[in-house]
Amino acid sequence: MTITPDTADRNAAARDAADPLHAYPSKFVRSPEVRAYLDGNSLGRPTRASAEQLSSFVSEQWGGRLIRGWDEAWYELPLTLGDRLGAATLGAAAGQTFIGDSTTVVLYKLIRAAIDARPDRSEIVIDTGNFPTDRYIVEGIAAELGKTLRWIDPSIDGGVTVDDVRAALTENTALVVISHVAYRSGYLADMPGITALAHEAGALVLWDLCHSAGVIETKLDEWGVDLAAGCTYKYLNGGPGSPAFGYVRAEHIESMTQPIQGWMGSSSPFEMGPGYAPHHGIRRFISGTPSIVGSLAMQDMLGLIEQAGIAAIRAKSVALTEYALELVDELLVPLGVTVSSPRNADERGSHITIDHESFASVNAELWKQGIIPDFRRPHGIRLGLSPLSTSFAEVQLGVEGIHALMTK
Ligand SMILES: Cc1ncc(COP(=O)(O)O)c(C=O)c1O
């Protein structure tokens, strides 16, 4: 029998059976209408634990404890959860990570704090491939404070390298802002190398961890990272609009101030005093009342990450993206599809992007069939593979689904 692309056994079931994390996909809410979910890097699936916990939270915690809940647990949650996140995936010792606001707002607060800490320097380094919100925030701050932007322009299938940063640094660089994993290509930047280089030039570095938190281990403390920010609705499965996190290196905390001076980050929030003075410690980076409901689902996901271990999660992430690339090479490259992500797994996060001019309509059709990747302009389909919730079978269904639509 001739093996054609449509009849070949692509071994997804065997890979799922051999997967040391095979028990995890069933710990997530799965709707029968969704045949393959390949967008865990935009919005993670809810855990089943969250489905239960959120409803009991409303009746028991919120409904039963009411305002007493703040004293009993909620006031400290942004910091206790930050510490847990730091230990489970960021490589951050306690007392340096907080939860709150959106990523955009945390970026604003931390970038302003960094620029204010380097008043004698006038330049910010950022790349054109960074996520729009990072670029827009940096542009706004540069306009607000009269700073100059130095742009790195990475290729569509790559990201910011150590050499790119070396070429952009000057004795005037105050801050370098980079995404650890590029949102489009999935390129995984060299965090320790770039951080060390920026420090040699006397600059600070802020890393956007949106596409790595929960899926790639970082060692923020060990690598000397100054500042980091990220969201919790992707690989941390906190749900739509769940709060962001921010990391500030211990040695900077007391000397940095952030611009959104709210009461919850003030020295004594319940004194309601006449003027603002920052709280000691990482609490000073909090501004207003934290979103407790929005933090609960992330807490459940952190439980799963702690159980599975970030090393095993990264190993499965690599296996999933390798498998996706194998299928893309077999089924889609012959149809003119190009791969816009690094081929080397050490330079890749947990998603791959493939490009073809037909992909806007292919993606729309896939969504109707319950196969859900996402679309990125001008004509990229992104396959975001979340190791604890994505099976190899879903990857196979997704790539075969694209092939079927392209050959129809
Ligand atoms: C790298 C990166 N930064 C920031 C954001 C979003 O920021 P916010 O959570 O404020 O919408 C995203 C969203 O996908 C992202 O991919």
Side-chain angles (χ1 to χ4, degrees):
M1 182 182 122
T2 317
I3 306 272
T4 69
D6 294 325
T7 56
D9 176 6
R10 300 195 176 88
N11 269 331
R15 288 172 203 249
D16 279 321
D19 172 15
L21 301 178
H22 70 271
Y24 282 89
S26 65
K27 295 183 192 292
F28 293 81
V29 173
R30 305 183 86 84
S31 148
E33 175 263 332
V34 177
R35 294 165 60 220
Y37 188 56
L38 305 168
D39 204 2
N41 63 330
S42 286
L43 177 68
R45 286 178 182 272
T47 65
R48 288 166 64 148
S50 297
E52 286 163 26
Q53 206 217 151
L54 283 168
S55 75
S56 81
F57 176 82
V58 173
S59 52
E60 285 158 36
Q61 298 291 307
W62 178 9
R65 303 315 298 155
L66 289 163
I67 195 67
R68 294 172 293 183
W70 282 109
D71 288 348
E72 291 165 2
W74 305 334
Y75 178 70
E76 290 301 334
L77 195 67
L79 303 187
T80 52
L81 214 46
D83 286 349
R84 245 177 107 179
L85 177 66
T89 151
L90 303 181
Q96 303 173 100
T97 309
F98 66 96
I99 307 291
D101 309 310
S102 64
T103 320
T104 303
V105 173
V106 172
L107 284 169
Y108 178 75
K109 296 202 292 193
L110 298 189
I111 293 170
R112 271 291 309 268
I115 299 298
D116 292 348
R118 288 282 184 281
D120 49 334
R121 292 181 169 230
S122 59
E123 294 177 1
I124 308 172
V125 172
I126 187 164
D127 66 293
T128 55
N130 211 331
F131 190 76
T133 220
D134 302 59
R135 293 184 274 114
Y136 302 162
I137 288 288
V138 166
E139 284 171 342
I141 289 176
E144 191 183 349
L145 302 178
K147 304 288 178 186
T148 303
L149 299 183
R150 287 181 73 89
W151 290 98
I152 292 169
D153 195 14
S155 63
I156 193 167
D157 57 352
V160 179
T161 64
V162 173
D163 287 340
D164 292 334
V165 175
R166 185 177 291 112
L169 285 169
T170 73
E171 71 281 1
N172 273 324
T173 312
L175 179 69
V176 179
V177 178
I178 305 181
S179 284
H180 188 208
V181 173
Y183 82 98
R184 195 180 195 283
S185 70
Y187 180 84
L188 174 61
D190 176 355
M191 187 182 282
I194 290 174
T195 303
L197 191 69
H199 287 170
E200 277 169 33
L204 298 166
V205 189
L206 181 145
W207 289 94
D208 181 328
L209 304 183
C210 280
H211 287 273
S212 55
V215 75
I216 298 172
E217 183 177 22
T218 50
K219 297 187 174 170
L220 301 184
D221 289 352
E222 189 181 319
W223 295 340
V225 168
D226 301 293
L227 301 150
C231 66
T232 65
Y233 45 76
K234 300 181 192 293
Y235 300 110
L236 293 168
N237 302 61
S242 60
F245 66 87
Y247 164 91
V248 182
R249 186 171 192 75
E251 71 192 58
H252 297 314
I253 291 177
E254 300 300 327
S255 61
M256 282 188 179
T257 50
Q258 55 97 353
I260 307 182
Q261 319 183 144
W263 72 302
M264 279 277 178
S266 71
S267 56
S268 38
F270 300 101
E271 291 293 316
M272 316 266 165
Y276 174 86
H279 204 281
H280 66 83
I282 191 71
R283 178 170 285 285
R284 67 177 52 201
F285 289 90
I286 293 177
S287 296
T289 304
S291 166
I292 299 304
V293 176
S295 301
L296 295 175
M298 177 202 6
Q299 183 167 252
D300 296 324
M301 184 61 180
L302 273 179
L304 297 185
I305 292 172
E306 286 160 353
Q307 208 178 63
I310 192 72
I313 291 172
R314 172 66 177 157
K316 174 149 180 213
S317 159
V318 169
L320 285 167
T321 53
E322 290 283 342
Y323 182 54
L325 283 169
E326 259 175 50
L327 298 184
V328 166
D329 282 339
E330 179 199 339
L331 294 174
L332 305 183
V333 168
L335 304 179
V337 170
T338 53
V339 173
S340 309
S341 293
R343 291 278 180 178
N344 174 359
D346 293 337
E347 292 179 352
R348 191 169 68 229
S350 206
H351 67 267
I352 63 162
T353 298
I354 50 180
D355 275 281
H356 190 270
E357 60 199 11
S358 67
F359 274 176
S361 57
V362 166
N363 193 63
E365 193 52 40
L366 287 171
W367 278 32
K368 288 186 204 150
Q369 298 179 5
I371 296 177
I372 310 182
D374 77 5
F375 178 73
R376 283 289 171 266
R377 288 185 193 289
H379 38 54
I381 281 184
R382 241 180 14 168
L383 306 173
L385 311 175
S386 187
L388 291 187
S389 61
T390 310
S391 63
F392 289 91
E394 284 176 284
V395 176
Q396 178 174 352
L397 250 168
V399 179
E400 287 179 349
I402 297 170
H403 176 261
L405 285 170
M406 291 182 77
T407 52
K408 196 163 76 169

